[in-house]
Amino acid sequence: TLSAVTISRWLLSPVMDEQYGEVAGVQFLRVHAPPANAPRPSHAPTVVVLLHGGFWKQQWTVENAGTGDMATALAGKGVFAVEVEYRRVGASGGGWKATSDDVVAALRYLNQHKARLFGAGKCRVVLVGHSAGGQLAMCAAHAAARAQGGVEPIAGSAGQALVPDLVLACAPVADLVEAALLNLSDDGDAVHNFLGGDPASEPAAFAAARAVSPALCCVPVRVPTLIVAGAADMDVPL
């Protein structure tokens, strides 16, 4: 159960931004606490970490990618919800591998501060990602689990990063090599811009694509993972 100190602090500010990196306004978490009238679980608190999609593009953020409404709804059910903002391709300096490193850094920050944020040293954690966020979620969870097991992580330094109990990937961009061939995204250039080149013709981009494609790098699966995809999805086809 939550401590009285945690409950009183959250009553004062049910939504709070926490900076997990040095880039102000970009590398931050938006933490939503359950309101006072929400159900209070008798077990360890549940934390849902949300990674928005948008093909890693600069214009898609926690402000407009739909995670805010989801976080509010989850908090109303007694769940802590955490939106993760990260560097995207463009002015914020994202792309491979800065964006991937940001998600791992966010999980590390949550692991270090979970007692203060959620009032308990042990939480049930679900990592949810949509589209590009699904790709980031699967890779970050895999890297964190590999680090916890003493295996060198695939992307970034994943030591002490929070290992989720479940990953829910909604329409994830799971194979970046294939996604580049299909020219996914409105302009058809999202994967190329994220990788910094064309994996079909540039060896460095091809190596990067394989390193961050869950279908290739997250095998064997180290964290229970549920993938939800639409049979008629034209943006990220099956």
Side-chain angles (χ1 to χ4, degrees), residues 23-43:
V23 184
V26 176
Q27 293 173 311
F28 70 90
L29 308 171
R30 181 159 294 164
V31 186
H32 300 249
N37 60 349
R40 296 290 174 186
S42 58
H43 49 70

Side-chain angles (χ1 to χ4, degrees), residues 50-209:
L50 301 166
L51 294 171
H52 68 79
F55 282 112
W56 315 280
K57 292 187 175 183
Q58 181 70 28
Q59 64 263 38
W60 296 105
T61 73
V62 295
E63 304 294 349
N64 60 14
T67 53
D69 291 340
M70 188 182 302
T72 300
L74 287 167
K77 297 296 184 181
V79 173
F80 284 94
V82 182
E83 299 177 81
V84 179
E85 192 58 279
Y86 50 84
R87 288 173 288 176
R88 285 93 58 214
V89 176
S92 63
W96 166 253
K97 69 183 188 56
T99 299
S100 301
D101 287 348
D102 279 3
V103 178
V104 171
L107 293 179
R108 185 183 303 111
Y109 184 93
L110 287 173
N111 197 33
Q112 294 169 343
H113 298 276
K114 58 189 176 186
R116 174 176 61 84
L117 292 173
F118 313 124
K122 183 173 178 57
C123 308
R124 300 191 302 179
V125 179
V126 180
L127 181 57
V128 180
H130 170 244
S131 188
Q135 175 265 329
L136 294 169
M138 294 172 74
C139 286
H142 188 75
R146 281 168 60 90
Q148 186 183 71
V151 182
E152 182 181 357
I154 288 176
S157 176
Q160 298 182 335
L162 186 68
V163 179
D165 298 290
L166 174 69
V167 174
L168 172 58
C170 304
V173 186
D175 187 338
L176 275 70
V177 176
E178 181 69 14
L181 290 175
L182 294 174
N183 295 317
L184 296 189
S185 78
D186 293 341
D187 301 319
D189 59 355
V191 177
H192 303 76
N193 290 338
F194 176 68
L195 298 174
D198 183 357
S201 59
E202 301 177 39
F206 178 75

